[in-house]
Amino acid sequence: MDSNNNVPVKGVTNVDINKEMREAYLQYSMSVIVGRALPDVRDGLKPVHRRVLFAQHELSNTHDKPYKKSARVVGDVIGKYHPHGDNAAYDTMVRMAQDFSLRYPLIDGQGNFGSIDGDSAAASRYTEVRMTRLAEELLADIEKETVAHGPNYDDSLEIPLVLPSKFPNLLVNGSSGIAVGMATNIPPHNLGEVCDGAIHLINNPECSIDELIERIPGPDFPTAGLIAGRAGILQAYKKGRGIITLKARTEIETKKDHEEIIVTELPYQVNKAKLIESIADLVKEKTVEGISDIRDESSREGMRVVIILKRGENASVVLNRLFKFTQLQVSFGIIMLAIDKSNQPVTFDLKSMLEAFVDHRRDVVTKRCIYELKKAQERAHILEGLKKALDNIDAVIATIKASKEANQAREALMDKFQFSERQAVAILEMRLQRLTGLEIQKIIDELDEIMKQVNWLKFVLADVKEIYKIIVGELEDIKKKYADKRRSEITGDMDDLEDEDLIADEPMVVTITNTGYIKRINTEEYRVQKRGGKGLKGMETREEDYVTDLFTASTKTQLLVFTDKGKVYWCKVHKLPLGNRTSKGKAIANVVQLAAGEKVKAILPVNEFSENKYVVMLTEKGIIKKTSLDAFANPRQAGIIALTTDLEDQLVAAKISDGQSDIFIATKEGMSIRFNEDDVRGMGRSARGVKGITLAKDDIVVGMQVIEKDTKDTLLMVTSKGYGKRSEVIEYRVQSRGGVGIITQKTTDKVGNVVGTLKVNAAQELILSTDQGQVIRMKISDISVLGRNTQGVRLINLDEKQEFVSGLAVVDDEDKAGEEIH
C-alpha cells in the first residue's frame, strides 16, 4: 500500500495524470512538428512530399518514361513509406502537380488535377503522373550514399531522411503548414534569382542580407499578381517574419458608353470562382455600387475576368472599393520557419536559410566525391589486375589450366602473381574476346581515365573551395536549364487601401478659421482682380470667427500640421472637406485629433521626407530650432512633439529648408533679422531651440522666411490695415543670430502692425483674407518694390472693423507649391 492508501495491482503502474499528459502531448507535438507539418530547410520538403518523390524514384517514374496511374504511386507511398490515408498522399501529389500552387511543379500530371476555381482533381484511378525533370534534380545522386537513410514505419525498408536537392527548393517552391504551437508560411521565389543569391553567398560568405536582396528582390508567385511595397519583404528576409500585400493585376478598358475592369492575374491562393461570387454579393448588398455585370472569360490563353460598369461610373473608384472589400487584394504573412539539420524548428532569415542549403550541398557533394572515389579506386584495382594478367597472359592461362576447379585457380593466381581476391575473380570471369589487341587497349585507356578521375577526386576532397566550385557550377546549370522570367511585379507601398493614383492631382486652396474650421477649395474659385479692389465674398463666418490661415497644396500632398503647443500632426489634402468660397468647412478636430486648447499655427506641404532637408520652427518669443525632415516621416494619429516650448511662449511659424539657406524673421513692430541657417545646429524633436532674435519689451515674432542662396525673390511685408510692400532681399544684410536686427516696415496707426511676411516673385499671384472672410486675389507684379524703411501701398480696402489676417502666394505653375503668410 502506498502513501495514498492505494492497493497495488499487478501489472498496473500508478502515474501522475498531469505529468503524463504533459509528456504525452509534448511527444505528440514534436511528432507533428518534425514528422508532418514543417519542411526541412535542406530540401524544402515535408516527409509526405519526400516519400511521394522517393516512391516515384524507386518506380523509375521519371520524366522520360511513360506516365503511371496515380493510384499505383499512392499505393506504393502508403504501403511502403507513409502510414496514413490514401487521400492525404493523393492530395499531396495533386498539389505538387498544380502550376497555380507550386511555382515550379515537381509532378507532371495527366488528367484533371483541379483548377484555380477550386474544382477538385479526378480520382487517383483516373489520373496519371510522373516526375518533372526539376524534381529529378532533388533526387540526383541519392544512390551514391549522399544522404542519411532511416527505417520506414515497419522497419522493412530504408527511406531517405532528406533528399540531396541540387537547388534551394524551400525558397523556390515555398511551404506552408500548421504544427502544434507554431506555423510556417514561406512564399515561392524565382528559381534564377534564388540560384544567383546562393552563388553570391558561396562566393562572398560575409555578404549582408541587403546584398542578397539585390539578387532576390522578393517572392515570385505562380499566379503572378502584384506585391505592394518592400517593407514586409525586407522585414521577413531580415527577421524571418513579415507581412506583404498582394494585389490582382487589373486593366481598365473604355467602351463606347461605359468602362470595364479586366482582371488578368490574381493574388496567390485566391479562388477565382469564390472571388466572383463575393463581388456579386457585394453588389447585391450595395457595398460596392456601379457594377452591372461580371463575366469570366478565362481560357487556355490566360485569365480574364470582366467587370462591366454602369454608364457614367468611374472605374478607378469602383476598383478601389473592390481592392478594399474583396480578395483582389490580400495580405500574406511570411513565417520562415523550418526544421534544421538537428531536427529542431528554427526561424530563418534569408541568409541563414541559404547558408543551411549551401552547408547541405557541401555535405552531399563531399559524400558523393567520397563514394565516387571509392568506386573509382575499386575499378582501378580491377583494371590494374586485368592489365597485369594481360601482360602475363600465357603464364596466367597455364596456371588456370593446371587448376582442377575455380577456387583452386583463384588461389593459384593469388599465390603466384600476388593478385588480390577481387582481381583474381575478375581475371577468371574475363571473356576470351578481351584478349584481342583492341580490347587490351580499351583496358589501358580506361585505367588511364580512372586514374585521372581518382586524382581529381582526391584534389577536390583536399580543398573545400573546390567543393564550392562544384556547387556553383551545378547551380549555374540548374538556372540555365529551368529558370524563367519573374511573374510577380513588386510595386510601391500601399496607403491603407487608399490608392492615391485614383485621386486627381489638383492645386487647392486650404483655409482655416479662428474657431478651427478647415476646408479645401479649387483655386479656380478665385478670379484675378486689380490691386485695391473690394474682393470677393469668401468663407461664411460667424461674427466671432475669422480666417486665420490660407495656403495652397496638391490634393496628394502630405500636410504637417504644427500647433501653438509645439506638436505636429499629419493629414493628406484630399482628406480635407471640399467646399467653395462661401462654405464653412469642417471642424479641424474631425480631421486632425488636436489636444484640448491647441491651435494650428503652421501647415507644411510635404511630398517626400528627405533626411537632407530640415523643418525650421520659430516661437513668438524668438526661439528658433532646426530638425531633420525625416524625423517627421512616421505619422501618428495622436501627433508627436516637434518643439518644447515654455509656458508663456508658443510656436508661430515652421518652414522647410535645405540646410544651406538664410533665415529671415519679422516682428510685429517692424523689426527683422537675417542670419545664416548654419548658426542653428540640427536638434532632436523634443529639444527647446536657441535664440533667433532679441525682442523689444512688447514686441513678438509674427513671421519667418527661408531665403535660398542667390534668390531673386523679394520679401513682402503685410500689415493689419491692408498695406504691403516688396523689398529686395539684398537690403537685409546677414547678421549674427540672436541680435536685435534692423527695421523692415514702418508701423503707424495708418498702416497698423506687421501681421506677416512672405517671399514672393513677380510671376506669382497673391490671395489676401480678412478676419471677416473677405478675399482678394491679385498679381504680385502689381505690388510696388520699395525700400525697407517705408510704409508700403494699400493692398486691400478694409472697413474700419476689418483687419488683414492672412495671405498666400499662389504659383502660376501648378507643379510648384505655394507659401503662406504667418
mmCIF file of all heavy atoms in Angstrom, residues 588-616:
data_model
loop_
_atom_site.group_PDB
_atom_site.id
_atom_site.type_symbol
_atom_site.label_atom_id
_atom_site.label_comp_id
_atom_site.label_asym_id
_atom_site.label_seq_id
_atom_site.Cartn_x
_atom_site.Cartn_y
_atom_site.Cartn_z
ATOM 1 N N ILE A 588 -11.683 71.258 -37.646
ATOM 2 C CA ILE A 588 -10.385 70.607 -37.821
ATOM 3 C C ILE A 588 -10.206 69.453 -36.838
ATOM 4 O O ILE A 588 -9.453 68.508 -37.105
ATOM 5 C CB ILE A 588 -9.241 71.630 -37.674
ATOM 6 C CG1 ILE A 588 -7.950 71.042 -38.250
ATOM 7 C CG2 ILE A 588 -9.059 72.053 -36.236
ATOM 8 C CD1 ILE A 588 -6.849 72.056 -38.388
ATOM 9 N N ALA A 589 -10.919 69.473 -35.722
ATOM 10 C CA ALA A 589 -10.833 68.379 -34.756
ATOM 11 C C ALA A 589 -11.375 67.082 -35.332
ATOM 12 O O ALA A 589 -11.046 65.994 -34.858
ATOM 13 C CB ALA A 589 -11.591 68.746 -33.484
ATOM 14 N N ASN A 590 -12.219 67.184 -36.389
ATOM 15 C CA ASN A 590 -12.753 65.997 -37.045
ATOM 16 C C ASN A 590 -11.810 65.483 -38.132
ATOM 17 O O ASN A 590 -12.041 64.420 -38.707
ATOM 18 C CB ASN A 590 -14.123 66.297 -37.666
ATOM 19 C CG ASN A 590 -15.168 66.579 -36.611
ATOM 20 O OD1 ASN A 590 -15.094 66.055 -35.510
ATOM 21 N ND2 ASN A 590 -16.133 67.416 -36.947
ATOM 22 N N VAL A 591 -10.786 66.257 -38.447
ATOM 23 C CA VAL A 591 -9.806 65.867 -39.459
ATOM 24 C C VAL A 591 -8.491 65.476 -38.809
ATOM 25 O O VAL A 591 -7.878 64.461 -39.140
ATOM 26 C CB VAL A 591 -9.592 67.024 -40.462
ATOM 27 C CG1 VAL A 591 -8.578 66.610 -41.527
ATOM 28 C CG2 VAL A 591 -10.907 67.428 -41.103
ATOM 29 N N VAL A 592 -8.048 66.300 -37.856
ATOM 30 C CA VAL A 592 -6.816 66.037 -37.107
ATOM 31 C C VAL A 592 -7.176 66.035 -35.622
ATOM 32 O O VAL A 592 -7.869 66.925 -35.140
ATOM 33 C CB VAL A 592 -5.756 67.128 -37.386
ATOM 34 C CG1 VAL A 592 -4.506 66.883 -36.561
ATOM 35 C CG2 VAL A 592 -5.425 67.171 -38.867
ATOM 36 N N GLN A 593 -6.697 65.036 -34.897
ATOM 37 C CA GLN A 593 -7.053 64.902 -33.475
ATOM 38 C C GLN A 593 -6.190 65.809 -32.604
ATOM 39 O O GLN A 593 -5.213 65.385 -31.993
ATOM 40 C CB GLN A 593 -6.910 63.439 -33.040
ATOM 41 C CG GLN A 593 -7.927 62.521 -33.672
ATOM 42 C CD GLN A 593 -7.876 61.126 -33.084
ATOM 43 O OE1 GLN A 593 -7.093 60.838 -32.194
ATOM 44 N NE2 GLN A 593 -8.732 60.252 -33.585
ATOM 45 N N LEU A 594 -6.561 67.110 -32.556
ATOM 46 C CA LEU A 594 -5.825 68.064 -31.736
ATOM 47 C C LEU A 594 -6.128 67.855 -30.262
ATOM 48 O O LEU A 594 -7.212 67.416 -29.896
ATOM 49 C CB LEU A 594 -6.209 69.494 -32.136
ATOM 50 C CG LEU A 594 -5.971 69.912 -33.586
ATOM 51 C CD1 LEU A 594 -6.461 71.339 -33.794
ATOM 52 C CD2 LEU A 594 -4.503 69.800 -33.952
ATOM 53 N N ALA A 595 -5.140 68.167 -29.437
ATOM 54 C CA ALA A 595 -5.355 68.122 -27.997
ATOM 55 C C ALA A 595 -6.176 69.338 -27.580
ATOM 56 O O ALA A 595 -6.282 70.332 -28.314
ATOM 57 C CB ALA A 595 -4.019 68.101 -27.256
ATOM 58 N N ALA A 596 -6.764 69.281 -26.406
ATOM 59 C CA ALA A 596 -7.607 70.370 -25.924
ATOM 60 C C ALA A 596 -6.813 71.672 -25.838
ATOM 61 O O ALA A 596 -5.713 71.703 -25.303
ATOM 62 C CB ALA A 596 -8.176 70.013 -24.558
ATOM 63 N N GLY A 597 -7.374 72.756 -26.394
ATOM 64 C CA GLY A 597 -6.744 74.070 -26.310
ATOM 65 C C GLY A 597 -5.706 74.354 -27.375
ATOM 66 O O GLY A 597 -5.176 75.456 -27.446
ATOM 67 N N GLU A 598 -5.390 73.390 -28.247
ATOM 68 C CA GLU A 598 -4.368 73.610 -29.279
ATOM 69 C C GLU A 598 -4.936 74.389 -30.460
ATOM 70 O O GLU A 598 -6.095 74.210 -30.841
ATOM 71 C CB GLU A 598 -3.811 72.274 -29.778
ATOM 72 C CG GLU A 598 -2.775 71.652 -28.870
ATOM 73 C CD GLU A 598 -2.125 70.431 -29.522
ATOM 74 O OE1 GLU A 598 -2.858 69.504 -29.908
ATOM 75 O OE2 GLU A 598 -0.893 70.421 -29.656
ATOM 76 N N LYS A 599 -4.087 75.239 -31.053
ATOM 77 C CA LYS A 599 -4.447 75.964 -32.262
ATOM 78 C C LYS A 599 -3.391 75.710 -33.325
ATOM 79 O O LYS A 599 -2.195 75.664 -33.030
ATOM 80 C CB LYS A 599 -4.538 77.469 -31.982
ATOM 81 C CG LYS A 599 -5.703 77.865 -31.098
ATOM 82 C CD LYS A 599 -5.768 79.382 -30.950
ATOM 83 C CE LYS A 599 -6.948 79.799 -30.091
ATOM 84 N NZ LYS A 599 -7.026 81.278 -29.941
ATOM 85 N N VAL A 600 -3.853 75.563 -34.564
ATOM 86 C CA VAL A 600 -2.930 75.332 -35.674
ATOM 87 C C VAL A 600 -2.190 76.623 -35.996
ATOM 88 O O VAL A 600 -2.804 77.682 -36.157
ATOM 89 C CB VAL A 600 -3.687 74.822 -36.919
ATOM 90 C CG1 VAL A 600 -2.753 74.744 -38.117
ATOM 91 C CG2 VAL A 600 -4.323 73.477 -36.639
ATOM 92 N N LYS A 601 -0.859 76.559 -36.101
ATOM 93 C CA LYS A 601 -0.045 77.739 -36.383
ATOM 94 C C LYS A 601 0.709 77.638 -37.707
ATOM 95 O O LYS A 601 1.106 78.652 -38.267
ATOM 96 C CB LYS A 601 0.966 77.951 -35.250
ATOM 97 C CG LYS A 601 0.348 78.526 -33.989
ATOM 98 C CD LYS A 601 -0.170 79.934 -34.250
ATOM 99 C CE LYS A 601 -0.763 80.554 -33.001
ATOM 100 N NZ LYS A 601 -1.226 81.933 -33.251
ATOM 101 N N ALA A 602 0.947 76.450 -38.186
ATOM 102 C CA ALA A 602 1.664 76.287 -39.453
ATOM 103 C C ALA A 602 1.307 74.945 -40.059
ATOM 104 O O ALA A 602 1.144 73.952 -39.345
ATOM 105 C CB ALA A 602 3.173 76.383 -39.244
ATOM 106 N N ILE A 603 1.169 74.928 -41.364
ATOM 107 C CA ILE A 603 0.917 73.681 -42.089
ATOM 108 C C ILE A 603 1.887 73.612 -43.256
ATOM 109 O O ILE A 603 1.908 74.503 -44.113
ATOM 110 C CB ILE A 603 -0.539 73.592 -42.571
ATOM 111 C CG1 ILE A 603 -1.500 73.680 -41.383
ATOM 112 C CG2 ILE A 603 -0.757 72.310 -43.343
ATOM 113 C CD1 ILE A 603 -2.953 73.550 -41.751
ATOM 114 N N LEU A 604 2.709 72.567 -43.283
ATOM 115 C CA LEU A 604 3.732 72.433 -44.319
ATOM 116 C C LEU A 604 3.354 71.332 -45.291
ATOM 117 O O LEU A 604 3.149 70.185 -44.890
ATOM 118 C CB LEU A 604 5.094 72.109 -43.688
ATOM 119 C CG LEU A 604 5.637 73.102 -42.674
ATOM 120 C CD1 LEU A 604 7.003 72.650 -42.185
ATOM 121 C CD2 LEU A 604 5.716 74.501 -43.276
ATOM 122 N N PRO A 605 3.269 71.645 -46.563
ATOM 123 C CA PRO A 605 3.039 70.593 -47.565
ATOM 124 C C PRO A 605 4.344 69.843 -47.836
ATOM 125 O O PRO A 605 5.368 70.455 -48.118
ATOM 126 C CB PRO A 605 2.572 71.376 -48.794
ATOM 127 C CG PRO A 605 3.165 72.731 -48.640
ATOM 128 C CD PRO A 605 3.277 72.990 -47.163
ATOM 129 N N VAL A 606 4.296 68.505 -47.738
ATOM 130 C CA VAL A 606 5.498 67.681 -47.929
ATOM 131 C C VAL A 606 5.178 66.556 -48.904
ATOM 132 O O VAL A 606 4.207 65.824 -48.722
ATOM 133 C CB VAL A 606 5.982 67.084 -46.589
ATOM 134 C CG1 VAL A 606 7.207 66.211 -46.808
ATOM 135 C CG2 VAL A 606 6.290 68.196 -45.601
ATOM 136 N N ASN A 607 6.007 66.413 -49.932
ATOM 137 C CA ASN A 607 5.850 65.321 -50.884
ATOM 138 C C ASN A 607 6.819 64.174 -50.616
ATOM 139 O O ASN A 607 6.563 63.034 -50.989
ATOM 140 C CB ASN A 607 6.040 65.824 -52.318
ATOM 141 C CG ASN A 607 4.952 66.786 -52.721
ATOM 142 O OD1 ASN A 607 3.779 66.550 -52.456
ATOM 143 N ND2 ASN A 607 5.325 67.894 -53.347
ATOM 144 N N GLU A 608 7.965 64.466 -49.987
ATOM 145 C CA GLU A 608 8.961 63.433 -49.695
ATOM 146 C C GLU A 608 9.706 63.799 -48.414
ATOM 147 O O GLU A 608 10.163 64.932 -48.265
ATOM 148 C CB GLU A 608 9.950 63.293 -50.851
ATOM 149 C CG GLU A 608 11.003 62.220 -50.622
ATOM 150 C CD GLU A 608 11.996 62.123 -51.768
ATOM 151 O OE1 GLU A 608 11.854 62.889 -52.742
ATOM 152 O OE2 GLU A 608 12.905 61.287 -51.691
ATOM 153 N N PHE A 609 9.841 62.844 -47.505
ATOM 154 C CA PHE A 609 10.522 63.081 -46.230
ATOM 155 C C PHE A 609 12.008 62.770 -46.391
ATOM 156 O O PHE A 609 12.447 61.650 -46.168
ATOM 157 C CB PHE A 609 9.894 62.240 -45.122
ATOM 158 C CG PHE A 609 8.523 62.701 -44.736
ATOM 159 C CD1 PHE A 609 7.403 62.201 -45.388
ATOM 160 C CD2 PHE A 609 8.342 63.657 -43.747
ATOM 161 C CE1 PHE A 609 6.139 62.639 -45.050
ATOM 162 C CE2 PHE A 609 7.078 64.103 -43.401
ATOM 163 C CZ PHE A 609 5.965 63.592 -44.058
ATOM 164 N N SER A 610 12.770 63.786 -46.778
ATOM 165 C CA SER A 610 14.200 63.609 -47.058
ATOM 166 C C SER A 610 15.035 63.947 -45.829
ATOM 167 O O SER A 610 14.748 64.895 -45.102
ATOM 168 C CB SER A 610 14.613 64.492 -48.236
ATOM 169 O OG SER A 610 16.012 64.513 -48.382
ATOM 170 N N GLU A 611 16.096 63.165 -45.613
ATOM 171 C CA GLU A 611 16.997 63.437 -44.490
ATOM 172 C C GLU A 611 17.904 64.631 -44.781
ATOM 173 O O GLU A 611 18.590 65.126 -43.889
ATOM 174 C CB GLU A 611 17.840 62.197 -44.190
ATOM 175 C CG GLU A 611 18.728 61.773 -45.338
ATOM 176 C CD GLU A 611 19.533 60.532 -45.011
ATOM 177 O OE1 GLU A 611 19.300 59.924 -43.953
ATOM 178 O OE2 GLU A 611 20.398 60.182 -45.831
ATOM 179 N N ASN A 612 17.922 65.091 -46.040
ATOM 180 C CA ASN A 612 18.757 66.236 -46.416
ATOM 181 C C ASN A 612 18.015 67.566 -46.289
ATOM 182 O O ASN A 612 18.553 68.606 -46.649
ATOM 183 C CB ASN A 612 19.259 66.071 -47.855
ATOM 184 C CG ASN A 612 20.146 64.854 -48.008
ATOM 185 O OD1 ASN A 612 20.942 64.554 -47.137
ATOM 186 N ND2 ASN A 612 19.995 64.142 -49.118
ATOM 187 N N LYS A 613 16.779 67.513 -45.825
ATOM 188 C CA LYS A 613 16.006 68.731 -45.611
ATOM 189 C C LYS A 613 15.632 68.850 -44.135
ATOM 190 O O LYS A 613 15.673 67.867 -43.388
ATOM 191 C CB LYS A 613 14.766 68.734 -46.493
ATOM 192 C CG LYS A 613 15.085 68.892 -47.977
ATOM 193 C CD LYS A 613 13.837 69.159 -48.790
ATOM 194 C CE LYS A 613 14.202 69.419 -50.250
ATOM 195 N NZ LYS A 613 12.999 69.727 -51.063
ATOM 196 N N TYR A 614 15.261 70.073 -43.744
ATOM 197 C CA TYR A 614 15.001 70.338 -42.330
ATOM 198 C C TYR A 614 13.685 71.088 -42.160
ATOM 199 O O TYR A 614 13.212 71.774 -43.079
ATOM 200 C CB TYR A 614 16.132 71.177 -41.724
ATOM 201 C CG TYR A 614 17.471 70.485 -41.739
ATOM 202 C CD1 TYR A 614 18.313 70.591 -42.848
ATOM 203 C CD2 TYR A 614 17.895 69.736 -40.654
ATOM 204 C CE1 TYR A 614 19.536 69.949 -42.884
ATOM 205 C CE2 TYR A 614 19.122 69.088 -40.663
ATOM 206 C CZ TYR A 614 19.938 69.204 -41.780
ATOM 207 O OH TYR A 614 21.144 68.567 -41.808
ATOM 208 N N VAL A 615 13.115 70.951 -40.963
ATOM 209 C CA VAL A 615 11.990 71.786 -40.555
ATOM 210 C C VAL A 615 12.543 72.822 -39.581
ATOM 211 O O VAL A 615 13.132 72.467 -38.554
ATOM 212 C CB VAL A 615 10.884 70.958 -39.882
ATOM 213 C CG1 VAL A 615 9.795 71.880 -39.350
ATOM 214 C CG2 VAL A 615 10.299 69.952 -40.857
ATOM 215 N N VAL A 616 12.391 74.118 -39.955
ATOM 216 C CA VAL A 616 12.841 75.205 -39.091
ATOM 217 C C VAL A 616 11.614 75.778 -38.391
ATOM 218 O O VAL A 616 10.647 76.172 -39.054
ATOM 219 C CB VAL A 616 13.563 76.303 -39.897
ATOM 220 C CG1 VAL A 616 14.032 77.420 -38.970
ATOM 221 C CG2 VAL A 616 14.737 75.714 -40.662
#
